[in-house]
Amino acid sequence: QVQLVESGGGLVQPGGSLRVSCIASGIAFSVYTMGWFRLAPGKQRELVATIAGGSSTSYADSVKGRFTISRDNSKNTVYLQMNSLEPEDTAVYYCNAQWVLFDHNYWGQGTRVTVSS
């Protein structure tokens, strides 16, 4: 079965950095567009960043210049490097795998990131 397993969340001070990872299994990873979404208390789910199979990327305006999404197809893993973290980045971060052609859409269980002093 398909599994997306996130890791790397935690508590970090404002201005700090954190890298979250997502390992996928049960899918042809290289053809999927991988994404990171986040859900903060009292807010709607927000698309943070995506990376296509060909490695083109897109970012939410709120994280441009601070976050970097990358993927390693040999490890079935997608990463989100988060720098210059702000309290507003506090949220549960979810990994997403999407293959639009076949209407495949999968989610991980989430990893919590807390930015606080």
Side-chain angles (χ1 to χ4, degrees), residues 1 3 11 21 25 35 38 50 71 82 85 92 95 112:
Q1 74 276 22
Q3 278 194 312
L11 173 64
S21 305
S25 58
R38 66 187 181 186
T50 64
R71 65 190 298 160
M82 302 181 286
L85 282 161
V92 177
C95 176
R112 184 174 301 276

Side-chain angles (χ1 to χ4, degrees), residues 59-111:
Y59 296 91
D61 287 343
S62 58
V63 307
K64 278 181 183 176
R66 302 189 297 121
F67 290 12
T68 302
I69 189 171
S70 61
R71 65 190 298 160
D72 185 339
N73 289 340
S74 70
K75 296 181 179 179
N76 283 11
T77 301
V78 61
Y79 306 96
L80 184 68
Q81 176 68 44
M82 302 181 286
N83 299 328
S84 302
L85 282 161
E86 304 167 353
E88 292 73 23
D89 297 315
T90 294
V92 177
Y93 284 72
Y94 295 91
C95 176
N96 174 261
Q98 191 173 76
W99 192 2
V100 174
L101 183 64
F102 291 100
D103 197 26
H104 290 179
N105 193 29
Y106 304 110
W107 294 91
Q109 83 288 348
T111 185

Side-chain angles (χ1 to χ4, degrees), residues 14-54:
S17 298
L18 203 62
R19 188 178 80 161
V20 292
S21 305
C22 170
I23 299 177
S25 58
I27 60 172
F29 181 80
S30 63
V31 304
Y32 278 74
T33 292
M34 301 300 297
W36 287 96
F37 289 73
R38 66 187 181 186
L39 183 61
K43 295 186 178 180
Q44 290 189 329
R45 186 178 63 190
E46 177 186 18
L47 173 60
V48 177
T50 64
I51 183 166

